[in-house]
Amino acid sequence: MQIVLVGVDHTSAPIQLREQLACAPRQVAALLRAVRQEAQEAVLLSTCNRFELYAVLEAEQGGREVLLPVLCEQRAVERELLEQHCYTYSDLEAARHLFGVACGLYSLIPGEPQIQGQVADALELAQGGSFAGPVLSALFRAALVTGKRARRETGISRRAVSISHAAVQLARQLFPRLNEASVLLVGSGQMSELAARNLCDNGARRLVIVNRTAEHARQLVEQLGERASLRPFSELAAALVEADVVITSTTAPHTVVTEEMMRAVLPQRQERPLLIIDIALPRDVDPAVGALPGVHLYNIDDLRLVVDEGIRLRLQEVAQVERIIAEEVEDFARWLSSLSVTDTIVELREHVEALRRQELARTLRQLTPSLSERELAAIQELTTRLINKVLHKPVTRLKEAAAAGRGHVYAEALRYLFDLEVATDDEQTGDRDARQQAGPGADADGDRQVTAAASRAGDPG
């Protein structure tokens, strides 16, 4: 068995290829269904900046040779083009890559939080269609744990790294209780919408939008719901009197907030501080406004300095994030290694359990008439606990050996010492089905009686 990743991202492939490969949620199932014709498990992570297919294949299968033809056929992409721009990882390197993705290390903006939800959505979609099995489910869950650790234990996602986030960060510095502040948005374009959404995500509850085109502003108000209201552009001065935070982002060719306007507004504000963030180009606010008492004015260049500093500080966290990734990859490696001895452990337990039942049944045929139901249950509990205690140390050591890469040696020794035969898949499935249908203890009359007695008597303590 091997884990294989084939993918492209914004660093390896042009946007045209990423557009061809990109899958909407409704298209993912068809692609994964085609992949499952060749693979045991499959999960697709498709975002605007990356397209990564994770699969579990047989050890002898070549990942690229198996997966690339399926991708090319399903997404109508030329094999040569995909070969040129894709990357491939297997096993722990694939795990290390996915963990880094979940932490935001490979995002366009380092540490961006959206990728965490996208990884979770990819897993949920694959599990919903039964495309992800135990290995990829464990891999993606471990990636989500790694991403959460990185954001909790480091500053990889804490600093502002976009203009709209920087604007909100400035607002929170001056008004920590942003939910009580009155926010005025002058303009309703994309920048204003991003700023408004970030403000709402950070607690803002009173947003007033002023825009020359009422229809566009009305659409934004409807999107924001009860938190937002609309005022005509002619009431800009009155809105400035009431505001605590002002974010301007119009396309006007000249300033819309003049020094003269602000000199008339300030006396009505009763010395309340005013934060003005001008993210328009050309600027919406006369630079002279920044020299007026109680006014804190920032323009887009000021915000870019905040963004650059945020990115610099985030990049300083990379080494710490990589340490977390290394720890989580090591944990996943131990789990992955344990799979190589799982069958041996299961067969050993079944072998010993069969012996327990056989000997218990032989003993109970001599003792049953004179034993109460509680005594029968106690004997059942005693033999089960004894077997578990005897097996605990060997099983633990076998898992440790597997984690160290020596599991096959000890697994073969156990098979030899306990004379465990390798059953075919059909035999194992048949035995498993028979046990499920018959219930526990169906092989021996005496043990079946004890099981029934234990169930009536309850836990003997």
Side-chain angles (χ1 to χ4, degrees):
M1 180 207 76
Q2 60 173 327
I3 300 172
V4 175
L5 154 64
V6 175
V8 302
D9 66 10
H10 60 282
T11 66
S12 73
I15 190 171
Q16 293 85 355
L17 177 57
R18 302 202 309 272
E19 285 174 339
Q20 278 185 273
L21 288 169
C23 281
R26 67 181 183 279
Q27 299 173 311
V28 172
L31 174 62
L32 293 183
R33 194 173 296 112
V35 173
R36 279 295 306 275
Q37 299 298 314
E38 308 291 339
Q40 300 171 18
E41 303 181 29
V43 177
L44 178 66
L45 176 60
S46 180
T47 74
C48 57
N49 285 321
R50 74 179 58 252
F51 178 95
E52 296 182 346
L53 176 63
Y54 295 79
V56 174
L57 303 175
E58 296 293 344
E60 65 275 6
Q61 290 179 288
R64 293 171 78 99
E65 290 72 17
V66 170
L67 299 179
L68 288 187
V70 180
L71 290 178
C72 291
E73 179 181 354
Q74 291 294 313
R75 305 312 298 159
V77 175
E78 293 182 7
R79 172 73 178 264
E80 183 179 354
L81 181 63
L82 188 54
E83 285 269 15
Q84 181 182 353
H85 293 286
C86 76
Y87 44 80
T88 306
Y89 299 110
S90 62
D91 296 326
L92 296 185
E93 286 303 313
R96 185 173 288 105
H97 177 84
L98 178 60
F99 292 4
V101 167
C103 293
L105 287 190
Y106 311 135
S107 297
L108 195 59
I109 298 175
E112 60 93 3
Q114 287 81 9
I115 188 64
Q116 181 88 353
Q118 291 165 336
V119 170
D121 291 342
L123 174 60
E124 182 179 359
L125 202 159
Q127 287 179 326
S130 298
F131 303 115
V135 175
L136 291 186
S137 294
L139 174 67
F140 271 71
R141 283 195 296 267
L144 292 172
V145 169
T146 306
K148 289 178 182 177
R149 277 194 64 191
R151 289 172 175 82
R152 183 178 66 249
E153 299 176 21
T154 76
I156 191 66
S157 297
R158 289 179 194 155
R159 278 85 180 187
V161 288
S162 71
I163 295 297
S164 60
H165 277 88
V168 174
Q169 187 178 79
L170 286 172
R172 293 190 67 178
Q173 288 177 5
L174 194 59
F175 299 95
R177 302 174 71 174
L178 199 55
N179 61 314
E180 297 179 1
S182 176
V183 180
L184 171 62
L185 298 178
V186 183
S188 60
Q190 184 179 17
M191 293 290 282
S192 290
E193 182 177 347
L194 287 172
R197 294 190 183 283
N198 280 314
L199 286 164
C200 290
D201 289 343
N202 283 271
R205 292 294 176 265
R206 290 188 293 154
L207 280 77
V208 176
I209 300 174
V210 171
N211 193 54
R212 290 188 185 276
T213 307
E215 181 58 33
H216 195 185
R218 191 173 293 110
Q219 292 175 3
L220 180 55
V221 169
E222 290 175 355
Q223 292 175 20
L224 296 174
E226 298 178 353
R227 293 169 290 193
S229 60
L230 178 63
R231 295 186 70 166
F233 198 83
S234 58
E235 296 182 12
L236 174 58
L240 287 169
V241 172
E242 301 169 6
D244 298 306
V245 178
V246 180
I247 298 179
T248 69
S249 178
T250 76
T251 57
H254 52 74
T255 58
V256 295
V257 178
T258 64
E259 181 184 11
E260 181 183 3
M261 178 187 293
M262 285 305 305
R263 287 190 179 278
V265 163
L266 288 178
Q268 304 175 60
R269 293 182 52 81
Q270 299 177 344
E271 299 185 349
R272 288 169 28 242
L274 177 63
L275 172 63
I276 303 179
I277 302 172
D278 185 359
I279 53 180
L281 199 67
R283 285 179 283 183
D284 282 333
V285 183
D286 186 340
V289 169
L292 297 176
V295 178
H296 306 266
L297 175 62
Y298 295 86
N299 60 37
I300 196 166
D301 285 345
D302 298 322
L303 295 187
R304 284 197 177 116
L305 290 175
V306 174
V307 168
D308 291 344
E309 177 66 3
I311 291 176
R312 186 186 70 81
L313 292 173
R314 283 193 179 190
L315 290 176
Q316 288 183 348
E317 303 292 321
V318 169
Q320 181 72 357
V321 172
E322 288 177 340
R323 180 190 63 78
I324 292 172
I325 291 172
E327 292 175 1
E328 294 296 335
V329 168
E330 187 176 340
D331 285 347
F332 182 73
R334 281 194 290 268
W335 177 84
L336 199 60
S337 296
S338 72
L339 296 182
S340 65
V341 297
T342 297
D343 288 344
T344 299
I345 292 172
V346 170
E347 290 176 39
L348 176 62
R349 288 191 177 278
E350 290 179 347
H351 174 72
V352 175
E353 173 66 12
L355 293 176
R356 183 190 73 84
R357 292 176 184 276
Q358 180 181 338
E359 294 306 315
L360 183 61
R362 180 180 295 115
T363 300
L364 289 177
R365 280 196 289 270
Q366 302 173 18
L367 300 176
T368 298
S370 61
L371 294 178
S372 68
E373 289 187 351
R374 184 172 182 80
E375 289 169 332
L376 289 170
I379 293 174
Q380 170 84 352
E381 183 72 13
L382 170 65
T383 57
T384 300
R385 287 181 179 177
L386 180 61
I387 290 301
N388 287 339
K389 287 184 179 294
V390 169
L391 290 180
H392 174 72
K393 185 60 71 173
V395 167
T396 300
R397 290 286 176 83
L398 182 56
K399 290 180 178 178
E400 291 172 352
R406 302 190 306 274
H408 63 288
V409 176
Y410 292 93
E412 288 302 318
L414 274 177
R415 287 183 176 278
Y416 174 75
L417 293 172
F418 285 88
D419 194 24
L420 302 178
E421 295 183 0
V422 180
T424 65
D425 290 343
D426 290 341
E427 289 172 343
Q428 290 176 349
T429 302
D431 291 344
R432 201 161 44 242
D433 292 344
R435 287 194 299 271
Q436 290 173 349
Q437 292 172 6
D443 296 333
D445 292 339
D447 205 18
R448 182 161 54 247
Q449 182 181 0
V450 172
T451 303
S455 135
R456 292 192 298 272
D459 186 357

